[in-house]
Amino acid sequence: MAQDGIFKTKELAWICRSITMAAAPPPPSCCLVALPPHAKDGLVVFGKNSARPRDEVQEVVYFPAADHEPESKVECTYISVDQVPKTHAIVISRPAWLWGAEMGANEHGVCIANEAVNAREPAAETEALLGMDLVRLGLERGSTAKEALDVIVALLEEHGQGGNYYEDAGSCHSFQSAYLIVDHEEAWVLETVGKYWAAEKVTEGVRCICNQLSLTTKIDAEHPELRSYAQRQGWWTGEDEFNFSEVFSPADDHLHCCAGKDSLEKQEEGITVQTMIDILRDKASGVCIDSESFLTTASMASVLPQSRGSPCIHYFTGTPDPSRSIFKPFIFVDDVKLVPKAQSPCFGDDDPARREPRFQEKPDRRHELYKAHEWARAVIASGQEQGRRLRRTMLELEKQGLEAMEEILASPAPPDPAEVADLFYDCVDTEIKFFK
């Protein structure tokens, strides 16, 4: 059963004030998108590696479209916000202790992922909306990338962002947020500092966001008080050309090009979902993280055809380290079969993430897929022949799924809903049985 419970509204200030530390670096994640002409066959290809604390579990959860009562509330990770009359169907990958999402998609072909970033203005320690909450809210309420952007910035203005990004009572790490928001036709890069924000529209080529502010002088939408705020802080004179990342980045932050973007640009015009998956698996470039503190705990890749008659296909690992995981396909149809084996246990009101003070215990959040995959990771990491055979077999299972999805995309007729409603369920079930 997916954790989707009620999180009380309070502050973390009591613990944040008790800890003296420099601003910690954000986890080194990476989001990428390729649009025509770089993407093959007029597709839009999206990808995200979620780097998080090594022992954190992510679950993959589907929520159907829903109607809501007037004046009802939705309980996010730390605070409640007003609910809307109708929410879209979504599929998300999220750290199992929180309400929001690291990455996900909705039934209208919108994909969103976020990155934690540091900025000149420290992120608020007071509990508010997490960047990950805003990912989910954008997916639930936006039917296009631009609509999702508008949802996120409106909620940011009203409620702010803040709170602990980690399930850890011994730390209080809060970050600003950047987002890659994508649909069939375009992408938006949205970067935020407190309630202030700027966004750039991308309609062709490739784009990558990592854990630094990346917007420069090309800004297509912004908070109405963004520049006056920068002037009041003494960060911009008002005379020089306004460069968002130069104005708002920390003094010791040196902008560098995302390694994933370099890899995508080398592909020229042939980028496919397989290309994206290969890049997400690349440890040598730093796109796939496996360090002492952080691990790529889950990954996602999506194919968004520009033809509305073809289905969007989203691939999730639901397990750590994409180089040792299987990307499994998901397609939105009515009556999608839920996948409890990829969902973490629910602890209800006894969850230490809900009780205050928070995070005094860390329960076992491993789901059945995660537990089965732990064995596979250990065998592959051993470097023995058994591990090499296992990885070849896993890649062959994945290849079969990718080829089946290619056939669906190439077909002039939409897939039979009855045949794909249990697609992700069957893939997870097959993977678990294979590991056993």
Side-chain angles (χ1 to χ4, degrees):
M1 180 177 171
Q3 173 188 335
D4 189 31
I6 297 175
F7 295 81
K8 300 176 184 177
T9 303
K10 290 285 184 181
E11 296 183 356
L12 277 178
W14 66 272
I15 187 169
C16 295
R17 285 194 296 267
S18 69
I19 301 169
T20 302
M21 62 178 66
S29 298
C30 184
C31 311
L32 308 112
V33 66
L35 300 100
H38 277 68
K40 189 176 180 181
D41 299 331
L43 301 171
V44 175
V45 184
F46 170 87
K48 158 80 174 178
N49 269 352
S50 173
R52 298 283 299 173
R54 291 191 64 89
D55 62 347
E56 187 175 78
V57 177
Q58 285 204 34
E59 59 180 351
V60 179
V61 193
Y62 168 78
F63 294 98
D67 296 315
H68 304 281
E69 293 295 324
E71 300 183 6
S72 60
K73 298 282 188 177
V74 56
E75 302 285 349
C76 303
T77 302
Y78 296 129
I79 68 168
S80 301
V81 301
D82 291 336
Q83 185 58 281
V84 292
K86 182 176 178 59
T87 50
H88 307 311
I90 63 170
V91 59
I92 56 176
S93 182
R94 67 178 181 184
W97 63 271
L98 55 76
W99 179 86
E102 270 282 285
M103 51 203 169
N106 72 21
E107 61 185 305
H108 300 288
V110 177
C111 296
I112 309 178
N114 92 310
E115 299 290 341
V117 295
N118 282 327
R120 259 183 165 169
E121 177 180 309
E125 296 172 347
T126 302
E127 290 184 347
L129 290 172
L130 289 176
M132 292 170 282
D133 292 336
L134 289 163
V135 170
R136 178 170 171 180
L137 290 163
L139 289 171
E140 288 185 335
R141 302 179 182 197
S143 59
T144 67
K146 183 57 167 61
E147 277 188 16
L149 183 151
D150 292 340
V151 166
I152 290 171
V153 299
L155 289 165
L156 189 64
E157 176 76 22
E158 183 176 359
H159 300 285
Q161 58 182 320
N164 202 342
Y165 256 63
Y166 301 147
E167 183 189 17
D168 187 351
S171 67
C172 184
H173 295 308
S174 56
F175 301 101
Q176 310 289 6
S177 297
Y179 305 83
L180 185 60
I181 310 171
V182 179
D183 64 21
H184 300 263
E185 298 178 355
E186 63 190 25
W188 284 85
V189 176
L190 169 63
E191 298 185 346
T192 67
V193 179
K195 71 174 184 177
Y196 300 98
W197 57 273
E200 178 185 352
K201 182 178 178 179
V202 182
T203 57
E204 62 180 15
V206 301
R207 189 61 187 265
C208 171
I209 66 169
C210 298
N211 297 103
Q212 293 176 306
L213 299 176
S214 64
L215 297 181
T216 56
T217 58
K218 184 182 183 299
I219 297 175
D220 297 302
E222 63 186 77
H223 189 284
E225 299 175 11
L226 176 70
R227 300 184 192 215
S228 59
Y229 173 71
Q231 283 185 283
R232 291 196 304 273
Q233 297 298 312
W235 298 337
W236 181 55
T237 65
E239 298 174 0
D240 302 330
E241 185 176 27
F242 186 81
N243 183 312
F244 183 83
S245 59
E246 286 185 1
V247 170
F248 287 101
S249 292
D252 59 350
D253 215 13
H254 302 289
L255 185 64
H256 64 271
C257 186
C258 174
K261 183 172 184 287
D262 291 343
S263 300
L264 283 177
E265 287 178 337
K266 291 175 184 176
Q267 302 296 322
E268 296 183 345
E269 298 182 2
I271 296 170
T272 64
V273 70
Q274 182 67 69
T275 312
M276 185 65 74
I277 289 172
D278 290 344
I279 290 171
L280 294 176
R281 285 179 166 144
D282 186 1
K283 289 187 174 178
S285 70
V287 173
C288 180
I289 297 298
D290 190 351
S291 68
E292 183 177 344
S293 301
F294 297 112
L295 178 68
T296 299
T297 55
S299 302
M300 172 186 175
S302 295
V303 180
L304 313 177
Q306 292 189 314
S307 167
R308 297 293 179 132
S310 297
C312 298
I313 303 176
H314 311 284
Y315 300 83
F316 295 88
T317 60
T319 54
D321 191 347
S323 70
R324 298 168 182 171
S325 292
I326 299 174
F327 283 80
K328 298 166 281 291
F330 175 97
I331 295 176
F332 282 96
V333 291
D334 292 336
D335 301 319
V336 167
K337 189 171 185 178
L338 301 180
V339 188
K341 292 178 182 179
Q343 297 172 199
S344 295
C346 177
F347 299 96
D349 292 336
D350 292 329
D351 195 315
R354 301 182 190 182
R355 297 199 311 261
E356 297 187 49
R358 300 190 199 276
F359 312 132
Q360 299 302 296
E361 302 169 42
K362 188 174 286 189
D364 185 356
R365 300 188 187 277
R366 295 174 302 162
H367 45 75
E368 191 172 341
L369 174 62
Y370 187 100
K371 291 178 180 179
H373 181 260
E374 283 183 310
W375 171 83
R377 283 174 59 204
V379 171
I380 295 172
S382 70
Q384 303 299 312
E385 178 58 29
Q386 181 189 12
R388 289 189 286 271
R389 286 198 308 269
L390 175 62
R391 187 171 187 274
R392 287 195 296 270
T393 306
M394 290 170 67
L395 291 176
E396 181 57 34
L397 284 173
E398 180 183 274
K399 180 182 176 184
Q400 292 173 14
L402 288 167
E403 289 174 348
M405 297 304 101
E406 287 292 325
E407 292 179 7
I408 287 176
L409 287 175
S411 172
D416 181 350
E419 293 183 1
V420 297
D422 55 359
L423 176 64
F424 190 71
Y425 179 97
D426 287 345
C427 290
V428 168
D429 198 51
T430 300
E431 182 175 347
I432 291 172
K433 288 177 180 175
F434 169 71
F435 291 148
K436 290 180 177 179

